Amino acid sequence: MTIERLHQEIKFRWNKINSNHKKDFPAAYLDDAINKVTQDYIEIFYSGNNSKEYKFGFEVTQQRIDMLQTLVARDLTTGGMLSYPAVLITTDEYKVDLSSFDPKYRHFLRANVIPLECTSKVIPVTITRLNDLDTKLQDSNTQPSLTWRRCLGSIKNNNIVLYTKNYSIDSVKIEYLREPVKVFSGGYNSLEFLNGDTSAYQALSSTVTSDLPEQYHDLLADMVVQYMSVVLEDSNKFQLQEK
């Protein structure tokens, strides 16, 4: 949907459930609501955790990456995974700076490394919880291995830390979710622009619609109406709890 159509769908659904009592909202308000709900949408369908209790016509019980497919960062030339340099920290330990990623990093999906000692091998990175890391690094069945194609990783301090053993790497190929664009319906100066951010949306900026998969824009509109009902305290319409 275009941003104009998305606004129209939200207003239509709001008026329908509220018997035409609240017929309009400022464009800036709707843009902010869409941007807020987009963040919730990403977290729900990445993690499978609907902690804010949005009402769907299906159970959110597992990761649904297909509902986030347009946010998967890929190499624009090859369509494959993006490659980023890995910096040696100490023996068999490397880091990759997440803040350097373009487009901006949001969530890890998968990664591979290629050992310099055997460039024909592709080794998948297994992201490991910090509480389990020491044990897995010491266990011969789980520790990094060139022979068994194992590489452990952890995410901390805005870095992916990679652990190898008796092999070297100079980069990592990674697939991740990027940050979504902020929608903008045009015709007004955003608060960020008014507060001095010259790169923020302003009245003359072009319109920007949601870059979530278009087949789920109807779902996004429904979620926005539910969110607005909570913000405006219409809890009798949607018993959605903000947590």
PDB file of all heavy atoms in Angstrom, residues 74-103:
ATOM      1  N   ARG A  74      20.632  -7.907   2.102  1.00  0.00           N
ATOM      2  CA  ARG A  74      21.342  -8.750   1.145  1.00  0.00           C
ATOM      3  C   ARG A  74      22.254  -7.891   0.280  1.00  0.00           C
ATOM      4  O   ARG A  74      22.064  -6.680   0.156  1.00  0.00           O
ATOM      5  CB  ARG A  74      20.354  -9.495   0.244  1.00  0.00           C
ATOM      6  CG  ARG A  74      19.490 -10.524   0.963  1.00  0.00           C
ATOM      7  CD  ARG A  74      18.652 -11.316  -0.025  1.00  0.00           C
ATOM      8  NE  ARG A  74      17.901 -12.399   0.612  1.00  0.00           N
ATOM      9  CZ  ARG A  74      16.677 -12.264   1.074  1.00  0.00           C
ATOM     10  NH1 ARG A  74      16.068 -11.100   0.967  1.00  0.00           N
ATOM     11  NH2 ARG A  74      16.051 -13.284   1.637  1.00  0.00           N
ATOM     12  N   ASP A  75      23.232  -8.539  -0.334  1.00  0.00           N
ATOM     13  CA  ASP A  75      24.108  -7.880  -1.291  1.00  0.00           C
ATOM     14  C   ASP A  75      23.275  -7.496  -2.517  1.00  0.00           C
ATOM     15  O   ASP A  75      22.655  -8.353  -3.148  1.00  0.00           O
ATOM     16  CB  ASP A  75      25.246  -8.827  -1.687  1.00  0.00           C
ATOM     17  CG  ASP A  75      26.295  -8.149  -2.550  1.00  0.00           C
ATOM     18  OD1 ASP A  75      25.926  -7.638  -3.619  1.00  0.00           O
ATOM     19  OD2 ASP A  75      27.472  -8.160  -2.170  1.00  0.00           O
ATOM     20  N   LEU A  76      23.269  -6.218  -2.857  1.00  0.00           N
ATOM     21  CA  LEU A  76      22.427  -5.752  -3.958  1.00  0.00           C
ATOM     22  C   LEU A  76      22.901  -6.265  -5.311  1.00  0.00           C
ATOM     23  O   LEU A  76      22.122  -6.337  -6.263  1.00  0.00           O
ATOM     24  CB  LEU A  76      22.394  -4.214  -3.963  1.00  0.00           C
ATOM     25  CG  LEU A  76      21.734  -3.558  -2.742  1.00  0.00           C
ATOM     26  CD1 LEU A  76      21.796  -2.045  -2.856  1.00  0.00           C
ATOM     27  CD2 LEU A  76      20.304  -4.035  -2.571  1.00  0.00           C
ATOM     28  N   THR A  77      24.174  -6.621  -5.413  1.00  0.00           N
ATOM     29  CA  THR A  77      24.715  -7.108  -6.685  1.00  0.00           C
ATOM     30  C   THR A  77      24.423  -8.583  -6.895  1.00  0.00           C
ATOM     31  O   THR A  77      23.944  -9.001  -7.957  1.00  0.00           O
ATOM     32  CB  THR A  77      26.227  -6.868  -6.751  1.00  0.00           C
ATOM     33  OG1 THR A  77      26.492  -5.472  -6.593  1.00  0.00           O
ATOM     34  CG2 THR A  77      26.789  -7.338  -8.085  1.00  0.00           C
ATOM     35  N   THR A  78      24.699  -9.383  -5.873  1.00  0.00           N
ATOM     36  CA  THR A  78      24.561 -10.838  -6.010  1.00  0.00           C
ATOM     37  C   THR A  78      23.273 -11.386  -5.431  1.00  0.00           C
ATOM     38  O   THR A  78      22.864 -12.512  -5.746  1.00  0.00           O
ATOM     39  CB  THR A  78      25.735 -11.540  -5.308  1.00  0.00           C
ATOM     40  OG1 THR A  78      25.637 -11.306  -3.884  1.00  0.00           O
ATOM     41  CG2 THR A  78      27.066 -11.015  -5.820  1.00  0.00           C
ATOM     42  N   GLY A  79      22.621 -10.608  -4.552  1.00  0.00           N
ATOM     43  CA  GLY A  79      21.443 -11.120  -3.866  1.00  0.00           C
ATOM     44  C   GLY A  79      21.781 -12.070  -2.741  1.00  0.00           C
ATOM     45  O   GLY A  79      20.891 -12.628  -2.105  1.00  0.00           O
ATOM     46  N   GLY A  80      23.080 -12.264  -2.494  1.00  0.00           N
ATOM     47  CA  GLY A  80      23.518 -13.186  -1.450  1.00  0.00           C
ATOM     48  C   GLY A  80      23.795 -12.492  -0.124  1.00  0.00           C
ATOM     49  O   GLY A  80      23.379 -11.351   0.107  1.00  0.00           O
ATOM     50  N   MET A  81      24.523 -13.180   0.744  1.00  0.00           N
ATOM     51  CA  MET A  81      24.841 -12.647   2.056  1.00  0.00           C
ATOM     52  C   MET A  81      25.865 -11.528   1.933  1.00  0.00           C
ATOM     53  O   MET A  81      26.704 -11.524   1.027  1.00  0.00           O
ATOM     54  CB  MET A  81      25.367 -13.768   2.966  1.00  0.00           C
ATOM     55  CG  MET A  81      24.368 -14.905   3.155  1.00  0.00           C
ATOM     56  SD  MET A  81      25.065 -16.376   3.957  1.00  0.00           S
ATOM     57  CE  MET A  81      25.192 -15.805   5.650  1.00  0.00           C
ATOM     58  N   LEU A  82      25.812 -10.597   2.865  1.00  0.00           N
ATOM     59  CA  LEU A  82      26.757  -9.488   2.902  1.00  0.00           C
ATOM     60  C   LEU A  82      28.033  -9.915   3.604  1.00  0.00           C
ATOM     61  O   LEU A  82      28.019 -10.739   4.518  1.00  0.00           O
ATOM     62  CB  LEU A  82      26.144  -8.290   3.624  1.00  0.00           C
ATOM     63  CG  LEU A  82      25.024  -7.570   2.873  1.00  0.00           C
ATOM     64  CD1 LEU A  82      24.201  -6.707   3.827  1.00  0.00           C
ATOM     65  CD2 LEU A  82      25.605  -6.708   1.757  1.00  0.00           C
ATOM     66  N   SER A  83      29.163  -9.347   3.189  1.00  0.00           N
ATOM     67  CA  SER A  83      30.456  -9.686   3.779  1.00  0.00           C
ATOM     68  C   SER A  83      31.000  -8.496   4.566  1.00  0.00           C
ATOM     69  O   SER A  83      30.992  -7.355   4.065  1.00  0.00           O
ATOM     70  CB  SER A  83      31.446 -10.072   2.682  1.00  0.00           C
ATOM     71  OG  SER A  83      32.693 -10.439   3.237  1.00  0.00           O
ATOM     72  N   TYR A  84      31.468  -8.755   5.789  1.00  0.00           N
ATOM     73  CA  TYR A  84      32.042  -7.711   6.636  1.00  0.00           C
ATOM     74  C   TYR A  84      33.359  -8.206   7.220  1.00  0.00           C
ATOM     75  O   TYR A  84      33.521  -9.397   7.494  1.00  0.00           O
ATOM     76  CB  TYR A  84      31.079  -7.341   7.761  1.00  0.00           C
ATOM     77  CG  TYR A  84      29.888  -6.546   7.271  1.00  0.00           C
ATOM     78  CD1 TYR A  84      28.679  -7.184   6.983  1.00  0.00           C
ATOM     79  CD2 TYR A  84      29.966  -5.177   7.062  1.00  0.00           C
ATOM     80  CE1 TYR A  84      27.588  -6.474   6.514  1.00  0.00           C
ATOM     81  CE2 TYR A  84      28.884  -4.448   6.598  1.00  0.00           C
ATOM     82  CZ  TYR A  84      27.696  -5.098   6.328  1.00  0.00           C
ATOM     83  OH  TYR A  84      26.624  -4.389   5.856  1.00  0.00           O
ATOM     84  N   PRO A  85      34.318  -7.296   7.427  1.00  0.00           N
ATOM     85  CA  PRO A  85      35.627  -7.702   7.948  1.00  0.00           C
ATOM     86  C   PRO A  85      35.554  -8.174   9.393  1.00  0.00           C
ATOM     87  O   PRO A  85      34.777  -7.649  10.195  1.00  0.00           O
ATOM     88  CB  PRO A  85      36.463  -6.431   7.821  1.00  0.00           C
ATOM     89  CG  PRO A  85      35.486  -5.309   7.805  1.00  0.00           C
ATOM     90  CD  PRO A  85      34.267  -5.851   7.122  1.00  0.00           C
ATOM     91  N   ALA A  86      36.358  -9.176   9.713  1.00  0.00           N
ATOM     92  CA  ALA A  86      36.494  -9.677  11.083  1.00  0.00           C
ATOM     93  C   ALA A  86      37.871  -9.272  11.599  1.00  0.00           C
ATOM     94  O   ALA A  86      38.884  -9.562  10.961  1.00  0.00           O
ATOM     95  CB  ALA A  86      36.332 -11.191  11.119  1.00  0.00           C
ATOM     96  N   VAL A  87      37.911  -8.606  12.735  1.00  0.00           N
ATOM     97  CA  VAL A  87      39.162  -8.088  13.304  1.00  0.00           C
ATOM     98  C   VAL A  87      39.634  -9.018  14.411  1.00  0.00           C
ATOM     99  O   VAL A  87      38.872  -9.351  15.330  1.00  0.00           O
ATOM    100  CB  VAL A  87      38.956  -6.662  13.857  1.00  0.00           C
ATOM    101  CG1 VAL A  87      40.234  -6.144  14.487  1.00  0.00           C
ATOM    102  CG2 VAL A  87      38.479  -5.723  12.744  1.00  0.00           C
ATOM    103  N   LEU A  88      40.900  -9.448  14.332  1.00  0.00           N
ATOM    104  CA  LEU A  88      41.466 -10.339  15.350  1.00  0.00           C
ATOM    105  C   LEU A  88      41.601  -9.598  16.681  1.00  0.00           C
ATOM    106  O   LEU A  88      42.196  -8.528  16.759  1.00  0.00           O
ATOM    107  CB  LEU A  88      42.830 -10.851  14.897  1.00  0.00           C
ATOM    108  CG  LEU A  88      43.533 -11.833  15.827  1.00  0.00           C
ATOM    109  CD1 LEU A  88      42.751 -13.143  15.924  1.00  0.00           C
ATOM    110  CD2 LEU A  88      44.968 -12.087  15.352  1.00  0.00           C
ATOM    111  N   ILE A  89      41.018 -10.164  17.737  1.00  0.00           N
ATOM    112  CA  ILE A  89      41.120  -9.592  19.086  1.00  0.00           C
ATOM    113  C   ILE A  89      42.274 -10.249  19.830  1.00  0.00           C
ATOM    114  O   ILE A  89      43.136  -9.599  20.410  1.00  0.00           O
ATOM    115  CB  ILE A  89      39.822  -9.806  19.883  1.00  0.00           C
ATOM    116  CG1 ILE A  89      38.625  -9.217  19.152  1.00  0.00           C
ATOM    117  CG2 ILE A  89      39.937  -9.207  21.273  1.00  0.00           C
ATOM    118  CD1 ILE A  89      37.294  -9.551  19.812  1.00  0.00           C
ATOM    119  N   THR A  90      42.251 -11.559  19.845  1.00  0.00           N
ATOM    120  CA  THR A  90      43.287 -12.355  20.474  1.00  0.00           C
ATOM    121  C   THR A  90      43.291 -13.705  19.766  1.00  0.00           C
ATOM    122  O   THR A  90      42.522 -13.913  18.826  1.00  0.00           O
ATOM    123  CB  THR A  90      43.029 -12.518  21.988  1.00  0.00           C
ATOM    124  OG1 THR A  90      44.137 -13.200  22.585  1.00  0.00           O
ATOM    125  CG2 THR A  90      41.749 -13.286  22.259  1.00  0.00           C
ATOM    126  N   THR A  91      44.119 -14.622  20.179  1.00  0.00           N
ATOM    127  CA  THR A  91      44.215 -15.907  19.489  1.00  0.00           C
ATOM    128  C   THR A  91      42.842 -16.590  19.386  1.00  0.00           C
ATOM    129  O   THR A  91      42.145 -16.760  20.385  1.00  0.00           O
ATOM    130  CB  THR A  91      45.189 -16.839  20.240  1.00  0.00           C
ATOM    131  OG1 THR A  91      46.454 -16.186  20.361  1.00  0.00           O
ATOM    132  CG2 THR A  91      45.363 -18.152  19.489  1.00  0.00           C
ATOM    133  N   ASP A  92      42.466 -16.917  18.149  1.00  0.00           N
ATOM    134  CA  ASP A  92      41.214 -17.635  17.875  1.00  0.00           C
ATOM    135  C   ASP A  92      39.964 -16.859  18.278  1.00  0.00           C
ATOM    136  O   ASP A  92      38.908 -17.447  18.524  1.00  0.00           O
ATOM    137  CB  ASP A  92      41.203 -19.004  18.574  1.00  0.00           C
ATOM    138  CG  ASP A  92      42.274 -19.935  18.035  1.00  0.00           C
ATOM    139  OD1 ASP A  92      42.676 -19.745  16.882  1.00  0.00           O
ATOM    140  OD2 ASP A  92      42.694 -20.841  18.778  1.00  0.00           O
ATOM    141  N   GLU A  93      40.055 -15.549  18.331  1.00  0.00           N
ATOM    142  CA  GLU A  93      38.893 -14.736  18.701  1.00  0.00           C
ATOM    143  C   GLU A  93      38.857 -13.471  17.839  1.00  0.00           C
ATOM    144  O   GLU A  93      39.826 -12.728  17.774  1.00  0.00           O
ATOM    145  CB  GLU A  93      38.949 -14.369  20.185  1.00  0.00           C
ATOM    146  CG  GLU A  93      37.700 -13.690  20.693  1.00  0.00           C
ATOM    147  CD  GLU A  93      37.745 -13.488  22.209  1.00  0.00           C
ATOM    148  OE1 GLU A  93      38.436 -14.262  22.901  1.00  0.00           O
ATOM    149  OE2 GLU A  93      37.098 -12.539  22.692  1.00  0.00           O
ATOM    150  N   TYR A  94      37.728 -13.243  17.191  1.00  0.00           N
ATOM    151  CA  TYR A  94      37.574 -12.121  16.268  1.00  0.00           C
ATOM    152  C   TYR A  94      36.309 -11.346  16.627  1.00  0.00           C
ATOM    153  O   TYR A  94      35.405 -11.867  17.286  1.00  0.00           O
ATOM    154  CB  TYR A  94      37.444 -12.622  14.822  1.00  0.00           C
ATOM    155  CG  TYR A  94      38.631 -13.390  14.311  1.00  0.00           C
ATOM    156  CD1 TYR A  94      38.816 -14.740  14.656  1.00  0.00           C
ATOM    157  CD2 TYR A  94      39.566 -12.801  13.475  1.00  0.00           C
ATOM    158  CE1 TYR A  94      39.912 -15.453  14.193  1.00  0.00           C
ATOM    159  CE2 TYR A  94      40.652 -13.510  12.992  1.00  0.00           C
ATOM    160  CZ  TYR A  94      40.819 -14.837  13.354  1.00  0.00           C
ATOM    161  OH  TYR A  94      41.916 -15.542  12.886  1.00  0.00           O
ATOM    162  N   LYS A  95      36.245 -10.111  16.161  1.00  0.00           N
ATOM    163  CA  LYS A  95      35.011  -9.346  16.351  1.00  0.00           C
ATOM    164  C   LYS A  95      34.605  -8.670  15.049  1.00  0.00           C
ATOM    165  O   LYS A  95      35.438  -8.328  14.208  1.00  0.00           O
ATOM    166  CB  LYS A  95      35.154  -8.308  17.469  1.00  0.00           C
ATOM    167  CG  LYS A  95      36.033  -7.119  17.130  1.00  0.00           C
ATOM    168  CD  LYS A  95      35.986  -6.091  18.261  1.00  0.00           C
ATOM    169  CE  LYS A  95      36.838  -4.856  17.909  1.00  0.00           C
ATOM    170  NZ  LYS A  95      36.782  -3.831  18.975  1.00  0.00           N
ATOM    171  N   VAL A  96      33.305  -8.497  14.896  1.00  0.00           N
ATOM    172  CA  VAL A  96      32.720  -7.813  13.746  1.00  0.00           C
ATOM    173  C   VAL A  96      31.847  -6.696  14.296  1.00  0.00           C
ATOM    174  O   VAL A  96      30.947  -6.942  15.113  1.00  0.00           O
ATOM    175  CB  VAL A  96      31.878  -8.774  12.882  1.00  0.00           C
ATOM    176  CG1 VAL A  96      31.306  -8.043  11.679  1.00  0.00           C
ATOM    177  CG2 VAL A  96      32.711  -9.978  12.449  1.00  0.00           C
ATOM    178  N   ASP A  97      32.118  -5.478  13.872  1.00  0.00           N
ATOM    179  CA  ASP A  97      31.443  -4.302  14.409  1.00  0.00           C
ATOM    180  C   ASP A  97      30.046  -4.152  13.787  1.00  0.00           C
ATOM    181  O   ASP A  97      29.905  -3.804  12.616  1.00  0.00           O
ATOM    182  CB  ASP A  97      32.294  -3.060  14.119  1.00  0.00           C
ATOM    183  CG  ASP A  97      31.696  -1.788  14.692  1.00  0.00           C
ATOM    184  OD1 ASP A  97      30.680  -1.868  15.410  1.00  0.00           O
ATOM    185  OD2 ASP A  97      32.241  -0.700  14.411  1.00  0.00           O
ATOM    186  N   LEU A  98      29.008  -4.375  14.587  1.00  0.00           N
ATOM    187  CA  LEU A  98      27.639  -4.283  14.081  1.00  0.00           C
ATOM    188  C   LEU A  98      27.251  -2.854  13.723  1.00  0.00           C
ATOM    189  O   LEU A  98      26.412  -2.634  12.854  1.00  0.00           O
ATOM    190  CB  LEU A  98      26.662  -4.834  15.115  1.00  0.00           C
ATOM    191  CG  LEU A  98      26.761  -6.333  15.412  1.00  0.00           C
ATOM    192  CD1 LEU A  98      25.842  -6.703  16.569  1.00  0.00           C
ATOM    193  CD2 LEU A  98      26.407  -7.147  14.186  1.00  0.00           C
ATOM    194  N   SER A  99      27.848  -1.873  14.394  1.00  0.00           N
ATOM    195  CA  SER A  99      27.493  -0.480  14.120  1.00  0.00           C
ATOM    196  C   SER A  99      27.963  -0.022  12.748  1.00  0.00           C
ATOM    197  O   SER A  99      27.513   1.018  12.255  1.00  0.00           O
ATOM    198  CB  SER A  99      28.079   0.441  15.203  1.00  0.00           C
ATOM    199  OG  SER A  99      29.501   0.455  15.141  1.00  0.00           O
ATOM    200  N   SER A 100      28.864  -0.783  12.124  1.00  0.00           N
ATOM    201  CA  SER A 100      29.366  -0.418  10.799  1.00  0.00           C
ATOM    202  C   SER A 100      28.479  -0.944   9.676  1.00  0.00           C
ATOM    203  O   SER A 100      28.697  -0.619   8.511  1.00  0.00           O
ATOM    204  CB  SER A 100      30.790  -0.962  10.615  1.00  0.00           C
ATOM    205  OG  SER A 100      30.782  -2.382  10.514  1.00  0.00           O
ATOM    206  N   PHE A 101      27.474  -1.760  10.029  1.00  0.00           N
ATOM    207  CA  PHE A 101      26.671  -2.411   8.993  1.00  0.00           C
ATOM    208  C   PHE A 101      25.807  -1.394   8.239  1.00  0.00           C
ATOM    209  O   PHE A 101      25.225  -0.488   8.834  1.00  0.00           O
ATOM    210  CB  PHE A 101      25.755  -3.475   9.606  1.00  0.00           C
ATOM    211  CG  PHE A 101      26.458  -4.759   9.960  1.00  0.00           C
ATOM    212  CD1 PHE A 101      27.831  -4.817  10.103  1.00  0.00           C
ATOM    213  CD2 PHE A 101      25.731  -5.922  10.158  1.00  0.00           C
ATOM    214  CE1 PHE A 101      28.469  -5.999  10.429  1.00  0.00           C
ATOM    215  CE2 PHE A 101      26.354  -7.115  10.491  1.00  0.00           C
ATOM    216  CZ  PHE A 101      27.730  -7.157  10.620  1.00  0.00           C
ATOM    217  N   ASP A 102      25.744  -1.578   6.944  1.00  0.00           N
ATOM    218  CA  ASP A 102      24.913  -0.764   6.084  1.00  0.00           C
ATOM    219  C   ASP A 102      24.205  -1.692   5.096  1.00  0.00           C
ATOM    220  O   ASP A 102      24.884  -2.321   4.276  1.00  0.00           O
ATOM    221  CB  ASP A 102      25.751   0.277   5.339  1.00  0.00           C
ATOM    222  CG  ASP A 102      24.909   1.219   4.484  1.00  0.00           C
ATOM    223  OD1 ASP A 102      23.702   1.349   4.767  1.00  0.00           O
ATOM    224  OD2 ASP A 102      25.474   1.819   3.549  1.00  0.00           O
ATOM    225  N   PRO A 103      22.868  -1.824   5.194  1.00  0.00           N
ATOM    226  CA  PRO A 103      21.930  -1.086   6.044  1.00  0.00           C
ATOM    227  C   PRO A 103      22.048  -1.449   7.527  1.00  0.00           C
ATOM    228  O   PRO A 103      22.645  -2.460   7.876  1.00  0.00           O
ATOM    229  CB  PRO A 103      20.564  -1.489   5.485  1.00  0.00           C
ATOM    230  CG  PRO A 103      20.790  -2.819   4.847  1.00  0.00           C
ATOM    231  CD  PRO A 103      22.182  -2.781   4.291  1.00  0.00           C
TER     232      PRO A 103
END
